[in-house]
């Protein structure tokens, strides 16, 4: 009996942003869908506007499975995760072990199909787009929380925006300029 999809189903129970009070809680499954949508947009922008050659299907599937390990490890808040290189590397190793444990529940006949997305090549352009989409998602969460009056996300918004600009990714810069400002609007203003 394979438990792979039962593990994935638990993504909806793992809460994100555990150290910060949120106006609207978010789980790993919701976050993963948002990263899929953002990564897809970034890949399309990269290919169509900046001459990229990224595999859009691969980008979306990498985004879909980018948090699989957190089903077991939970979400570690960014200030702790990146406090120092030892913690960062230890947590990365723990997430990799958790992902492998989940992958090992699959039958061998289909395991390789999922492994390429759950344990991706971190040097690939597709992976880099997903990592950018993940940070963009964090930035947009800050925008959402601030819009709802939660000032606890003020510093995080500035820090993440700086991180995004320092990536020097033209598709992210374009998204921030052309699409991100609309996240600050009310529903009536979007009409």
């Amino acid at each position: 009996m394979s438990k792979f999809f039962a593990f994935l189903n638990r993504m909806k129970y793992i809460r994100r942003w555990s150290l910060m009070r949120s106006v609207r809680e978010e789980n790993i499954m919701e976050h993963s869908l948002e990263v899929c949508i953002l990564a897809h947009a970034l890949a399309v922008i990269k290919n169509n506007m900046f001459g990229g050659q990224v595999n859009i299907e691969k980008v979306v599937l990498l985004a879909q499975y980018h948090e699989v390990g957190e089903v077991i490890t939970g979400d570690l808040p960014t200030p702790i995760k990146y406090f120092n290189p030892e913690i960062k590397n230890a947590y990365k190793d723990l997430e990799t072990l958790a992902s492998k444990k989940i992958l090992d529940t699959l039958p061998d006949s289909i395991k390789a199909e999922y492994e390429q997305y759950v344990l991706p090549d971190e040097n690939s352009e597709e992976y880099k787009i997903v990592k950018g989409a993940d940070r963009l998602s964090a930035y947009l969460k800050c925008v959402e929380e601030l819009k709802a009056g939660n000032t606890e996300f003020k510093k995080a918004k500035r820090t993440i925006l700086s991180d995004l600009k320092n990536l020097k990714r033209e598709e992210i810069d374009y998204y921030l300029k052309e699409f991100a400002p609309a996240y600050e609007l009310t529903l009536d203003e979007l009409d």
Side-chain angles (χ1 to χ4, degrees), residues 8 12 24 27 29 41 46 81 89 108-109 112:
L8 295 185
K12 64 186 170 192
R24 192 188 73 73
N27 63 46
M29 192 175 278
K46 177 79 171 175
K81 190 186 298 187
N89 293 334
D108 289 339
S109 58

Side-chain angles (χ1 to χ4, degrees), residues 20-144:
M20 296 173 77
R21 179 184 59 79
S22 296
V23 171
R24 192 188 73 73
E25 286 190 17
E26 175 182 78
N27 63 46
I28 300 296
M29 192 175 278
E30 290 172 310
H31 167 71
S32 295
L33 175 59
E34 181 177 44
V35 173
C36 282
I37 292 167
L38 292 170
H40 178 249
L42 293 176
V44 169
I45 292 166
K46 177 79 171 175
N47 285 353
N48 293 349
M49 302 186 79
F50 300 107
Q53 298 291 316
V54 298
N55 179 327
I56 293 175
E57 179 181 314
K58 183 177 180 181
V59 166
V60 172
L61 287 168
L62 287 170
Q64 180 176 319
Y65 294 107
H66 84 282
E67 301 285 20
V68 165
E70 288 189 11
V71 172
I72 292 175
T73 66
D75 184 30
L76 190 62
T78 299
I80 296 169
K81 190 186 298 187
Y82 299 108
F83 181 74
N84 66 39
E86 292 83 20
I87 291 174
K88 179 183 172 188
N89 293 334
Y91 189 71
K92 179 76 174 147
D93 291 345
L94 184 61
E95 280 186 325
T96 299
L97 284 172
S99 294
K100 286 179 180 178
K101 178 182 172 110
I102 293 169
L103 277 169
D104 284 343
T105 68
L106 282 169
D108 289 339
S109 58
I110 63 173
K111 185 176 177 179
E113 183 64 34
Y114 288 90
E115 189 168 23
Q116 64 182 314
Y117 304 116
V118 175
L119 299 171
D121 171 7
E122 295 182 6
N123 295 313
S124 73
E125 188 64 17
E126 289 83 3
Y127 180 83
K128 291 173 185 174
I129 287 175
V130 172
K131 291 304 286 181
D134 195 26
R135 285 307 278 160
L136 184 56
S137 172
Y139 172 75
L140 296 173
K141 172 65 174 171
C142 293
V143 169
E144 175 186 26

Side-chain angles (χ1 to χ4, degrees), residues 8-21:
L8 295 185
N9 185 54
R10 294 188 178 268
M11 291 173 84
K12 64 186 170 192
Y13 301 112
I14 308 298
R15 195 172 147 237
R16 293 191 50 83
W17 301 95
S18 55
L19 283 185
M20 296 173 77
R21 179 184 59 79

